[in-house]
Amino acid sequence: MSKSDSNSPVLEICCYSISDVKNAISGGATRVEFCAGQAEGGTTPSYGALLLVKDYLSQIDITVMVRPRGGDFCYSDDEVAQMVADITMVKDLGFNGVVFGALNTDASVDELACQQLVKAAKGLSTTFHRAFDCVAEPKRAAKQIDALNITRVLSSGQKNNIEDGLILLLDMQQCFPSIEWLAAGGLREHNILGLLNSGLRHFHSAASTTLPSQFDKRYALAMAAAKDLDKELSRLQVSQQQVKQMVAILGLNTQ
């Protein structure tokens, strides 16, 4: 899929459930990034989840995370083969794009792995995810990503917060204008206008609020590695109100 040259703002919402997708659509988002593995920062959704979510393709552009596990972004040959198979599945189901990233142990882009992933994704939009924020040489990495003809890069400018990484992200956008630089990292209604005025046009937000569990904690065990019961039982859910507020600020057409 060709890279976009539109200067219109785009708001992509990160979604982990059908409810998230519905809230993103109702709020007027431009695009959804659909993932599993919320606690791990996003992994490949199950086939069953994709079957259900594909029903919303008539209402919104949906890209799918392709990441076989949490942890680092250095993948074995078997893991790359798994990612290729997942991309094929996503394409066959009719989704609009895929999100992936692969690095070498020296914090450079794994071009060989990415070439395979890009080839499998032919005809889809492609996003190099926030593995970019872990590269040692961002300009070299951006040049490699551009040469791979990857559509966009999701980045917070190599900082935890987009406001702290803004200078680098704007520099990347200026140096590599053929890439859509998708700003992420703490992006909400309180700071999106300033980021828009800075020159950014593509935005990615979780737009989330904490949804406490109603489960009777007397019968619960903390099974995850963190052993934090309250954190484990609660989850984040996309806030339709937050999406609406950002859509209004960006001047996008609401649905």
Side-chain angles (χ1 to χ4, degrees):
M1 179 172 288
S2 62
K3 299 178 182 181
S4 170
D5 59 358
S6 172
N7 200 41
S8 299
V10 169
L11 179 61
E12 177 181 280
I13 301 299
C14 185
C15 296
Y16 290 90
S17 67
I18 304 293
S19 295
D20 283 352
V21 173
K22 290 179 178 178
N23 286 342
I25 292 171
S26 297
T30 312
R31 184 172 59 234
V32 159
E33 179 196 65
F34 189 61
C35 313
Q38 190 173 56
E40 297 173 297
T43 55
T44 308
S46 72
Y47 180 70
L50 292 171
L51 277 179
L52 294 177
V53 170
K54 73 187 290 289
D55 290 341
Y56 296 92
L57 282 166
S58 62
Q59 301 178 56
I60 196 167
D61 186 352
I62 303 176
T63 65
V64 178
M65 173 66 76
V66 176
R67 185 178 173 215
R69 55 167 173 78
D72 64 33
F73 305 105
C74 304
Y75 299 115
S76 67
D77 290 344
D78 288 339
E79 287 173 325
V80 173
Q82 178 181 330
M83 294 167 77
V84 167
D86 283 337
I87 289 172
T88 301
M89 173 184 67
V90 168
K91 183 191 291 189
D92 289 345
L93 287 172
F95 286 92
N96 305 110
V98 288
V99 183
F100 57 77
L103 303 180
N104 296 308
T105 56
D106 65 353
S108 63
V109 172
D110 185 341
E111 289 188 276
L112 292 178
C114 287
Q115 285 170 359
Q116 296 178 62
L117 301 177
V118 168
K119 182 179 179 180
K122 184 178 180 180
L124 303 179
S125 71
T126 49
T127 302
F128 196 96
H129 56 48
R130 287 187 66 192
F132 179 82
D133 287 332
C134 299
V135 299
E137 300 178 56
K139 287 193 174 180
R140 178 189 174 201
K143 185 175 181 179
Q144 292 171 303
I145 290 167
D146 198 23
L148 287 162
N149 202 37
I150 291 174
T151 313
R152 63 185 68 96
V153 173
L154 178 65
S155 176
S156 61
Q158 298 202 316
K159 300 292 183 181
N160 287 326
N161 188 291
I162 179 58
E163 291 163 307
D164 294 334
L166 180 59
I167 292 175
L168 176 61
L169 195 56
L170 289 173
D171 187 35
M172 292 293 100
Q173 184 172 267
Q174 182 176 2
C175 293
F176 301 93
S178 60
I179 297 174
E180 294 176 11
W181 291 93
L182 187 56
L187 195 148
R188 292 293 190 277
E189 65 275 9
H190 71 272
N191 60 5
I192 196 168
L193 180 59
L195 296 170
L196 178 67
N197 290 338
S198 76
L200 296 178
R201 287 294 178 269
H202 302 269
F203 303 97
H204 172 100
S205 177
S208 59
T209 185
T210 301
L211 192 65
S213 173
Q214 301 302 309
F215 186 72
D216 190 332
K217 294 181 183 178
R218 293 177 298 171
Y219 302 99
L221 290 175
M223 299 181 184
K227 302 300 181 186
D228 184 330
L229 184 59
D230 288 336
K231 185 176 181 180
E232 187 170 332
L233 289 179
S234 66
R235 61 187 176 89
L236 298 176
Q237 180 172 290
V238 168
S239 164
Q240 180 181 325
Q241 183 61 30
Q242 286 190 38
V243 176
K244 282 185 175 180
Q245 289 173 343
M246 287 187 284
V247 163
I249 292 168
L250 294 175
L252 301 174
N253 293 326
T254 57
Q255 309 213 356

